[in-house]
Amino acid sequence: GAVVSQHPSRVICKSGTSVKIECRSLDFQATTMFWYRQFPKQSLMLMATSNEGSKATYEQGVEKDKFLINHASLTLSTLTVTSAHPEDSSFYICSASGLAGSLTDTQYFGPGTRLTVL
Amino acid sequence: ELKVEQNPLFLSMQEGKNYTIYCNYSTTSDRLYWYRQDPGKSLESLFVLLSNGAVKQEGRLMASLDTKARLSTLHITAAVHDLSATYFCAVAPRVTSGSRLTFGEGTQLTVNP
């Protein structure tokens, strides 16, 4: 149980285009979803926290107009990178938490999406 | 602001040897997690430690938590090549906000034959 999927797993796009990444909790309802980005050889950096049906809370320094997050249902959150530039190239990982298993609030991580902006 | 520091950041060891990775954090915490990440992959959950003195073991890995010292350790026993990966600890603060996690910098472990 507690499986989180992401789609796509890998995307290459041209500078200036927008890219949407989906994060789904497959077998549980995720009350909260988190979006992280990870640069090579670095740790995970939390970008934003989203709760179903409400606006996402962004971390300091993360542009909310550039990284649009929608958490429309208890099983789906999307991250849209708008007008992507090469510096947005990174590994994006989502996680979801809810009433899965025996531990409330445990985060379950998706497999990640590798974004390359040319 | 919660800070999480891991030590060492890079670890190269021979198969069969033992070693410990340390994770220090700056404020009171409810939960501490250990994750493994292979190159190009996402995080794999290893352990969650919930209370002072908690010890968990899985195979050649053993994790412990000392909340008074704000320290967790990940001990590797008789290392094998398959354990080569990056290991992260992550901490959830006592006053949680949707179980927000703060990650350490990661320890890149290489086990040499």
Side-chain angles (χ1 to χ4, degrees):
Chain A
V3 177
V4 177
S5 70
Q6 276 184 248
H7 178 80
S9 59
R10 186 180 295 267
V11 57
I12 300 173
C13 68
K14 292 182 179 179
S15 187
T17 60
S18 294
V19 174
K20 180 185 283 189
I21 302 170
E22 293 185 349
C23 176
R24 293 181 185 272
S25 57
L26 298 184
D27 50 5
F28 69 102
Q29 292 185 326
T31 52
T32 307
M33 287 187 170
F34 304 83
W35 287 95
Y36 298 87
R37 66 189 296 183
Q38 185 181 33
F39 293 108
K41 305 293 185 183
Q42 294 188 23
S43 187
L44 277 73
M45 183 194 80
L46 179 65
M47 299 175 66
T49 303
S50 73
N51 292 291
E52 184 264 340
S54 60
K55 289 184 178 180
T57 301
Y58 290 81
E59 295 298 302
Q60 191 173 8
V62 178
E63 299 175 58
K64 62 180 180 180
D65 294 331
K66 180 167 185 63
F67 299 100
L68 301 178
I69 292 172
N70 184 280
H71 191 163
S73 76
L74 285 171
T75 60
L76 173 65
S77 176
T78 60
L79 167 67
T80 301
V81 183
T82 62
S83 187
H85 288 92
E87 57 265 31
D88 298 323
S89 298
S90 188
F91 192 45
Y92 292 86
I93 305 174
C94 74
S95 70
S97 70
L99 298 177
S102 60
L103 276 180
T104 306
D105 275 355
T106 293
Q107 290 188 33
Y108 299 91
F109 287 84
T113 296
R114 174 84 50 200
L115 170 63
T116 303
V117 185
L118 302 176
Chain B
E1 180 189 350
L2 174 59
K3 292 185 179 179
V4 182
E5 294 183 346
Q6 285 183 236
N7 181 1
L9 300 183
F10 298 94
L11 176 57
S12 180
M13 56 191 297
Q14 286 187 314
E15 281 191 327
K17 299 293 186 182
N18 305 331
Y19 211 85
T20 300
I21 299 171
Y22 299 88
C23 174
N24 291 276
Y25 53 96
S26 61
T27 62
T28 307
S29 169
D30 258 350
R31 298 180 294 277
L32 189 136
Y33 298 83
W34 283 98
Y35 296 94
R36 168 182 172 145
Q37 186 178 37
D38 291 297
K41 304 291 186 182
S42 187
L43 300 183
E44 173 190 351
S45 179
L46 295 175
F47 302 106
V48 54
L49 303 168
L50 300 175
S51 60
N52 187 42
V55 177
K56 290 196 175 180
Q57 183 165 4
E58 181 71 34
R60 300 175 188 273
L61 300 178
M62 183 174 69
S64 65
L65 177 63
D66 181 344
T67 58
K68 293 180 181 178
R70 296 176 185 166
L71 170 68
S72 179
T73 61
L74 180 66
H75 187 72
I76 302 155
T77 302
V80 293
H81 179 69
D82 286 351
L83 290 179
S84 297
T86 299
Y87 293 84
F88 291 96
C89 64
V91 176
R94 175 155 292 179
V95 180
T96 60
S97 173
S99 64
R100 187 180 183 281
L101 290 177
T102 300
F103 282 83
E105 308 99 316
T107 297
Q108 186 176 322
L109 170 66
T110 303
V111 181
N112 302 303

